[in-house]
Amino acid sequence: MKPLEGKVAVVAGATRGAGRAIAMMLGAAGATVYGTGRSVRGGPSDIGRLETIEETAELVNKQGGRGIPVQVDHTVETQVKELFARIEEEQGGRLDILVNDVWGGEKLSEWGTPFWEGSLDKALLMQRRAVQSHLITSYYGAPLLVKRKQGLIVEVTDGYDYRYRGNLPYSLAKVSVIHLAEALASELRPHGVAALSVTPGFLRSEEMLDHFGVSEENWREGAEQDPHFLQSETPFYLGRGVAALAADSGLMDKSGKAFTSWGLSDEYGIVDVDGRRPHWGSYAEEQGF
């Protein structure tokens, strides 16, 4: 029996990257996965990427799970409310795992620009997409978990501490999500529900591969532009870590904490799909990051 057989999950922001990989790995563990996002076939979001939630659902099915695509803009409260009403009806009120991976800030970050010289509209929209969307989603998802007195909320972010991340709006968004997990954990603990945050290392996402002009087959060539790229990891490294957390019988002891892909690899013996076990934490320490 697969460890998440019979479990129901929502992965908000499952179109690509870590969200897609998490959805697939939850499916591989046997879960039914509602994968949400704005990009559907024939209707991409303003990010302009080709990936769609229908593709994600098909990939979940190929892993042995059940993928259900639902077009949702998680900044629109009515759409989020309708999502969980649908799940409550279709799954008899059952929800076991909620993953908040909505980001949408790819074209909003202004690296190398002091925040007072950048776009305030972009800075505020980033918070709307990357923080407020998570709060809206948890607001409507948490009651299903509380009702059954079990479950897990996962906040996906960048980093595991509160240090500055090189750009104020970006840093604010990513740090806020870590605290959101801590605060959720405090309020949900009396109800038997866990919440935590997770981060990848140097994520070799679809967009990052495109940035370096490489594919997953020849990704090491990207190191010619940035030698740190050799320490990168596929999104499945974190995806396998989230699946392992969701199946952990001691989950409540982990509630409120921040976890890294490399730390989860150490704890659960996780290997990336390319056979490697990159450890961004050790590498960053060696490099003085």
Side-chain angles (χ1 to χ4, degrees):
M1 184 174 179
K2 295 182 178 181
L4 299 181
E5 191 80 44
K7 302 287 188 181
V8 177
V10 169
V11 180
T15 313
R16 64 188 68 84
R20 171 174 281 189
I22 290 169
M24 290 173 64
M25 294 301 94
L26 292 175
T32 292
V33 183
Y34 287 80
T36 71
R38 296 180 297 158
S39 296
V40 296
R41 288 189 176 124
S45 73
D46 62 355
I47 303 300
R49 298 284 309 178
L50 297 177
E51 300 87 2
T52 67
I53 54 171
E54 291 95 341
E55 290 173 357
T56 298
E58 291 166 359
L59 291 167
V60 170
N61 292 338
K62 288 180 180 179
Q63 291 292 328
R66 181 187 175 206
I68 303 173
V70 186
Q71 185 180 30
V72 179
D73 182 336
H74 285 263
T75 67
V76 180
E77 183 182 350
T78 54
Q79 293 186 23
V80 178
K81 185 177 182 179
E82 289 170 1
L83 166 68
F84 289 103
R86 172 180 170 177
I87 293 170
E88 187 167 19
E89 179 179 356
E90 292 181 353
Q91 302 300 329
R94 176 158 199 157
L95 178 64
D96 300 281
I97 305 157
L98 170 57
V99 179
N100 280 316
D101 185 52
V102 176
W103 165 226
E106 291 90 338
K107 296 183 177 180
L108 302 177
S109 302
E110 296 181 296
W111 300 102
T113 302
F115 81 93
W116 62 90
E117 294 179 2
S119 167
L120 182 58
D121 287 342
K122 287 183 178 180
L124 293 176
L125 181 56
M126 183 183 292
Q127 310 315 307
R128 177 68 176 164
R129 288 183 175 178
V131 183
Q132 292 184 35
S133 67
H134 291 217
L135 182 58
I136 293 169
T137 304
S138 293
Y139 181 87
Y140 286 103
L144 275 68
L145 301 173
V146 168
K147 195 171 185 178
R148 299 184 65 243
K149 296 189 180 299
Q150 58 80 47
L152 169 66
I153 297 179
V154 178
E155 293 290 332
V156 183
T157 187
D158 174 18
Y160 56 89
D161 56 21
Y162 293 95
R163 77 183 71 182
Y164 172 64
R165 286 157 172 73
N167 173 269
L168 191 152
Y170 180 89
S171 191
L172 179 61
K174 297 304 184 180
V175 167
S176 294
V177 171
I178 296 175
H179 184 68
L180 179 56
E182 292 181 1
L184 284 168
S186 293
E187 298 202 8
L188 291 169
R189 184 176 295 278
H191 304 281
V193 179
L196 49 83
S197 63
V198 297
T199 181
F202 195 153
L203 189 66
R204 201 160 69 245
S205 64
E206 300 93 338
E207 187 168 10
M208 190 60 70
L209 289 169
D210 288 347
H211 173 75
F212 282 102
V214 296
S215 66
E216 187 56 34
E217 287 68 36
N218 69 334
W219 68 269
R220 288 176 176 80
E221 295 178 13
E224 296 173 7
Q225 302 173 55
D226 182 351
H228 303 312
F229 197 52
L230 288 176
Q231 304 301 319
S232 65
E233 62 197 53
T234 79
F236 298 100
Y237 201 41
L238 182 63
R240 287 176 168 176
V242 171
L245 282 167
D248 194 323
S249 60
L251 186 59
M252 288 305 298
D253 292 334
K254 300 179 183 298
S255 191
K257 299 177 182 178
F259 294 87
T260 65
S261 58
W262 58 93
L264 293 172
S265 173
D266 290 342
E267 180 169 359
Y268 295 109
I270 293 167
V271 178
D272 204 346
V273 291
D274 60 5
R276 299 165 58 251
R277 293 182 65 179
H279 200 291
W280 183 255
S282 295
Y283 180 75
E285 186 175 352
E286 292 170 1
Q287 297 294 315
F289 295 163

